[in-house]
PDB file of all heavy atoms in Angstrom:
ATOM      1  N   GLN K 564     116.643 109.647  99.810  1.00 90.00           N
ATOM      2  CA  GLN K 564     116.910 109.597  98.371  1.00 90.00           C
ATOM      3  C   GLN K 564     115.607 109.467  97.593  1.00 90.00           C
ATOM      4  O   GLN K 564     114.805 108.576  97.852  1.00 90.00           O
ATOM      5  CB  GLN K 564     117.832 108.422  98.047  1.00 90.00           C
ATOM      6  CG  GLN K 564     118.124 108.266  96.568  1.00 90.00           C
ATOM      7  CD  GLN K 564     118.950 107.030  96.272  1.00 90.00           C
ATOM      8  OE1 GLN K 564     119.508 106.413  97.186  1.00 90.00           O
ATOM      9  NE2 GLN K 564     119.027 106.643  95.015  1.00 90.00           N
ATOM     10  N   THR K 565     115.398 110.348  96.647  1.00 90.00           N
ATOM     11  CA  THR K 565     114.194 110.278  95.828  1.00 90.00           C
ATOM     12  C   THR K 565     114.350 109.186  94.782  1.00 90.00           C
ATOM     13  O   THR K 565     115.320 109.178  94.021  1.00 90.00           O
ATOM     14  CB  THR K 565     113.927 111.624  95.135  1.00 90.00           C
ATOM     15  OG1 THR K 565     113.724 112.628  96.123  1.00 90.00           O
ATOM     16  CG2 THR K 565     112.691 111.543  94.257  1.00 90.00           C
ATOM     17  N   LEU K 566     113.386 108.286  94.731  1.00 90.00           N
ATOM     18  CA  LEU K 566     113.426 107.187  93.782  1.00 90.00           C
ATOM     19  C   LEU K 566     112.625 107.495  92.520  1.00 90.00           C
ATOM     20  O   LEU K 566     113.076 107.255  91.411  1.00 90.00           O
ATOM     21  CB  LEU K 566     112.888 105.913  94.440  1.00 90.00           C
ATOM     22  CG  LEU K 566     113.669 105.400  95.654  1.00 90.00           C
ATOM     23  CD1 LEU K 566     112.949 104.198  96.265  1.00 90.00           C
ATOM     24  CD2 LEU K 566     115.093 105.035  95.276  1.00 90.00           C
ATOM     25  N   TYR K 567     111.407 108.009  92.707  1.00 91.00           N
ATOM     26  CA  TYR K 567     110.543 108.275  91.547  1.00 91.00           C
ATOM     27  C   TYR K 567     109.603 109.433  91.860  1.00 91.00           C
ATOM     28  O   TYR K 567     108.405 109.272  91.982  1.00 91.00           O
ATOM     29  CB  TYR K 567     109.761 107.014  91.164  1.00 91.00           C
ATOM     30  CG  TYR K 567     108.889 107.161  89.938  1.00 91.00           C
ATOM     31  CD1 TYR K 567     109.431 107.490  88.697  1.00 91.00           C
ATOM     32  CD2 TYR K 567     107.520 106.976  90.025  1.00 91.00           C
ATOM     33  CE1 TYR K 567     108.622 107.628  87.582  1.00 91.00           C
ATOM     34  CE2 TYR K 567     106.695 107.107  88.920  1.00 91.00           C
ATOM     35  CZ  TYR K 567     107.249 107.433  87.695  1.00 91.00           C
ATOM     36  OH  TYR K 567     106.448 107.574  86.589  1.00 91.00           O
ATOM     37  N   PHE K 568     110.176 110.609  92.020  1.00 91.00           N
ATOM     38  CA  PHE K 568     109.414 111.851  92.184  1.00 91.00           C
ATOM     39  C   PHE K 568     108.483 111.865  93.390  1.00 91.00           C
ATOM     40  O   PHE K 568     107.546 112.656  93.447  1.00 91.00           O
ATOM     41  CB  PHE K 568     108.599 112.154  90.923  1.00 91.00           C
ATOM     42  CG  PHE K 568     109.431 112.304  89.689  1.00 91.00           C
ATOM     43  CD1 PHE K 568     109.395 111.355  88.698  1.00 91.00           C
ATOM     44  CD2 PHE K 568     110.272 113.380  89.522  1.00 91.00           C
ATOM     45  CE1 PHE K 568     110.157 111.475  87.556  1.00 91.00           C
ATOM     46  CE2 PHE K 568     111.048 113.516  88.391  1.00 91.00           C
ATOM     47  CZ  PHE K 568     110.991 112.560  87.399  1.00 91.00           C
ATOM     48  N   GLU K 569     108.730 110.983  94.366  1.00 94.00           N
ATOM     49  CA  GLU K 569     107.857 110.976  95.542  1.00 94.00           C
ATOM     50  C   GLU K 569     108.067 112.192  96.426  1.00 94.00           C
ATOM     51  O   GLU K 569     107.146 112.609  97.132  1.00 94.00           O
ATOM     52  CB  GLU K 569     108.048 109.684  96.350  1.00 94.00           C
ATOM     53  CG  GLU K 569     109.383 109.529  97.050  1.00 94.00           C
ATOM     54  CD  GLU K 569     110.456 108.900  96.178  1.00 94.00           C
ATOM     55  OE1 GLU K 569     110.264 108.860  94.943  1.00 94.00           O
ATOM     56  OE2 GLU K 569     111.477 108.448  96.722  1.00 94.00           O
ATOM     57  N   ASN K 570     109.267 112.770  96.397  1.00 91.00           N
ATOM     58  CA  ASN K 570     109.530 114.006  97.141  1.00 91.00           C
ATOM     59  C   ASN K 570     109.296 115.192  96.213  1.00 91.00           C
ATOM     60  O   ASN K 570     110.028 115.377  95.232  1.00 91.00           O
ATOM     61  CB  ASN K 570     110.962 114.018  97.674  1.00 91.00           C
ATOM     62  CG  ASN K 570     111.224 112.853  98.614  1.00 91.00           C
ATOM     63  OD1 ASN K 570     111.877 111.878  98.249  1.00 91.00           O
ATOM     64  ND2 ASN K 570     110.692 112.927  99.817  1.00 91.00           N
ATOM     65  N   VAL K 571     108.285 115.977  96.495  1.00 89.00           N
ATOM     66  CA  VAL K 571     107.821 116.982  95.541  1.00 89.00           C
ATOM     67  C   VAL K 571     108.885 118.005  95.218  1.00 89.00           C
ATOM     68  O   VAL K 571     109.062 118.389  94.070  1.00 89.00           O
ATOM     69  CB  VAL K 571     106.547 117.679  96.071  1.00 89.00           C
ATOM     70  CG1 VAL K 571     106.158 118.837  95.173  1.00 89.00           C
ATOM     71  CG2 VAL K 571     105.419 116.679  96.169  1.00 89.00           C
ATOM     72  N   GLU K 572     109.621 118.485  96.188  1.00 73.00           N
ATOM     73  CA  GLU K 572     110.612 119.517  95.924  1.00 73.00           C
ATOM     74  C   GLU K 572     111.662 119.053  94.931  1.00 73.00           C
ATOM     75  O   GLU K 572     112.213 119.841  94.187  1.00 73.00           O
ATOM     76  CB  GLU K 572     111.307 119.931  97.230  1.00 73.00           C
ATOM     77  CG  GLU K 572     110.506 120.871  98.076  1.00 73.00           C
ATOM     78  CD  GLU K 572     111.299 121.439  99.223  1.00 73.00           C
ATOM     79  OE1 GLU K 572     112.338 120.866  99.587  1.00 73.00           O
ATOM     80  OE2 GLU K 572     110.870 122.472  99.776  1.00 73.00           O
ATOM     81  N   ASP K 573     111.935 117.756  94.926  1.00 49.00           N
ATOM     82  CA  ASP K 573     112.961 117.229  94.028  1.00 49.00           C
ATOM     83  C   ASP K 573     112.664 117.547  92.567  1.00 49.00           C
ATOM     84  O   ASP K 573     113.545 117.878  91.800  1.00 49.00           O
ATOM     85  CB  ASP K 573     113.080 115.714  94.193  1.00 49.00           C
ATOM     86  CG  ASP K 573     114.216 115.130  93.380  1.00 49.00           C
ATOM     87  OD1 ASP K 573     115.382 115.194  93.806  1.00 49.00           O
ATOM     88  OD2 ASP K 573     113.916 114.614  92.276  1.00 49.00           O
ATOM     89  N   ALA K 574     111.398 117.462  92.192  1.00 42.00           N
ATOM     90  CA  ALA K 574     111.025 117.724  90.793  1.00 42.00           C
ATOM     91  C   ALA K 574     110.893 119.207  90.513  1.00 42.00           C
ATOM     92  O   ALA K 574     110.743 119.625  89.376  1.00 42.00           O
ATOM     93  CB  ALA K 574     109.709 117.027  90.464  1.00 42.00           C
ATOM     94  N   GLN K 575     110.957 120.064  91.542  1.00 39.00           N
ATOM     95  CA  GLN K 575     110.798 121.503  91.344  1.00 39.00           C
ATOM     96  C   GLN K 575     112.115 122.233  91.307  1.00 39.00           C
ATOM     97  O   GLN K 575     112.167 123.437  91.118  1.00 39.00           O
ATOM     98  CB  GLN K 575     109.936 122.063  92.487  1.00 39.00           C
ATOM     99  CG  GLN K 575     108.510 121.535  92.476  1.00 39.00           C
ATOM    100  CD  GLN K 575     107.719 122.022  93.671  1.00 39.00           C
ATOM    101  OE1 GLN K 575     108.256 122.460  94.682  1.00 39.00           O
ATOM    102  NE2 GLN K 575     106.398 121.951  93.570  1.00 39.00           N
TER     103      GLN K 575
END
Side-chain angles (χ1 to χ4, degrees):
Q564 178 184 347
T565 299
L566 298 175
Y567 183 60
F568 301 110
E569 69 273 16
N570 300 104
V571 173
E572 281 190 341
D573 185 81
Q575 295 176 341

